[in-house]
Amino acid sequence: MMGGGEGYRLVWFQHLHKAAGTLIVNLAEVNGETLYPSHANGNPKDEDGEVIPLWEFDAELLSSFIDNCESQGVTFVATEHGAPDYSVLAADPRVFLISCMREPLKRGVANHNYAYYSGYTDAATLEEFVSEANVHMSDEYYVRMFSRREQLPLAPIEEDDYMRAMNALSGFDLILSTEHMVLRERLSESLGWSELGADRHATFGDGWKAWNMLKRLQLGRLVRYLRKRDASESRAALEGRFDMDYRLMDELFGD
């Protein structure tokens, strides 16, 4: 795999929603990586406070952005809301390209829990939640992100998209899985991060979430939250939605 030569190094993290992403961003900070001057959970923001749509940049703009990061001493960038041109990133010797995956069904359940208990959705069931326009709950989420077919309106995923996703992943320097490896140790080995303790931003146990539910008089929701219950009792809506994602993970991490 490529990237991360001598001299300047920019760790570029493709953040897959609810797959230990905030933990990795926090680990970057406590290990002295320099994030973009204005950012949202590692995602660079412009002077107006808007997340920069790096996934819309062509090769010239993306290379210019990396130049800008180097001139400012930025050493860590995250992209969560879209997929940049991975071929440009992989070909740049300054970039160390990483991502982290989670068992797809668990990730989907965690995404619903986070959105529901944080007040981002009132969809009380997974059936309702997956019907909303939300790329992070789309079918074949990983294949979409790495084949760059993630923007709304979503198009059907085909076998060619799977092959494009696998080809893109072959250019990554580090691909982690919360299910198959010790994440912190791999980050330490690959990036030289020595401080392995950081907030992992767990959905449950957040006093602010509980307080906001109480203020909104969402007492039933609050009780479920305090009992650490999944927002939806049924996972049936997710069955069969991630077959290619499971195949992709098996190819990457299987024995």
Side-chain angles (χ1 to χ4, degrees):
M1 292 187 177
M2 300 178 288
E6 292 184 7
Y8 174 67
R9 179 188 75 181
L10 176 62
V11 178
W12 194 295
F13 173 47
Q14 184 59 49
H15 180 168
L16 302 171
H17 199 54
K18 304 314 295 178
T22 300
L23 169 63
I24 292 174
V25 174
N26 290 340
L27 283 170
E29 290 193 277
V30 300
N31 279 281
E33 302 289 353
T34 301
L35 278 64
Y36 207 73
S38 178
H39 69 89
N41 202 23
N43 295 268
K45 299 192 329 187
D46 61 22
E47 294 178 353
D48 296 323
E50 299 295 325
V51 172
I52 301 173
L54 295 168
W55 49 92
E56 296 178 359
F57 283 22
D58 61 18
E60 183 178 356
L61 282 175
L62 202 52
S63 293
S64 179
F65 176 79
I66 297 169
D67 292 341
N68 177 258
C69 287
E70 182 172 12
S71 69
Q72 295 189 80
V74 173
T75 62
F76 184 94
V77 163
T79 41
E80 182 180 2
H81 307 292
D85 190 333
Y86 300 118
S87 65
V88 173
L89 299 177
D92 194 312
R94 297 169 294 178
V95 173
F96 193 93
L97 189 54
I98 72 173
S99 192
C100 182
M101 301 178 188
R102 182 179 185 179
E103 194 273 339
L105 194 146
K106 290 180 182 178
R107 192 205 64 82
V109 170
N111 191 10
H112 182 216
N113 287 337
Y114 174 76
Y116 183 70
Y117 289 125
S118 298
Y120 297 131
T121 183
D122 288 323
T125 68
L126 277 166
E127 288 82 359
E128 294 175 80
F129 193 53
V130 299
S131 70
E132 298 178 352
N134 177 359
V135 67
H136 301 306
M137 286 301 289
S138 66
D139 63 322
E140 313 300 2
Y141 172 61
Y142 296 156
V143 172
R144 285 191 182 280
M145 292 302 292
F146 293 109
S147 65
R148 304 190 67 207
R149 300 293 301 277
E150 84 291 1
Q151 293 301 311
L152 300 174
L154 298 176
I157 290 294
E158 308 289 348
E159 180 67 19
D160 285 350
D161 299 311
Y162 178 86
M163 299 307 297
R164 276 192 288 271
M166 289 302 301
N167 183 61
L169 285 163
S170 71
F172 275 62
D173 296 282
L174 179 64
I175 307 168
L176 300 163
S177 167
T178 63
E179 310 298 323
H180 296 84
M181 57 185 68
V182 182
L183 185 150
R184 289 176 171 86
E185 290 182 2
R186 286 297 305 277
L187 287 168
S188 178
E189 293 168 2
S190 299
L191 297 172
W193 291 355
S194 58
E195 177 54 62
L196 302 181
D199 179 18
R200 64 187 184 91
H201 196 57
T203 295
F204 294 104
D206 186 332
W208 283 109
K209 284 188 179 70
W211 174 242
N212 285 330
M213 282 181 269
L214 183 61
K215 285 195 299 182
R216 296 172 185 145
L217 299 179
Q218 297 170 329
L219 301 184
R221 191 178 306 196
L222 175 59
V223 169
R224 291 185 65 83
Y225 181 75
L226 294 176
R227 292 177 177 174
K228 299 183 178 180
R229 299 279 299 277
D230 286 339
S232 179
E233 294 183 359
S234 172
R235 301 185 178 190
L238 299 184
E239 293 177 4
R241 288 179 65 83
F242 308 121
D243 291 347
M244 283 191 181
D245 286 350
Y246 279 108
R247 176 181 160 196
L248 181 146
M249 290 193 71
D250 186 61
E251 192 164 345
L252 290 172
F253 306 111
D255 297 332

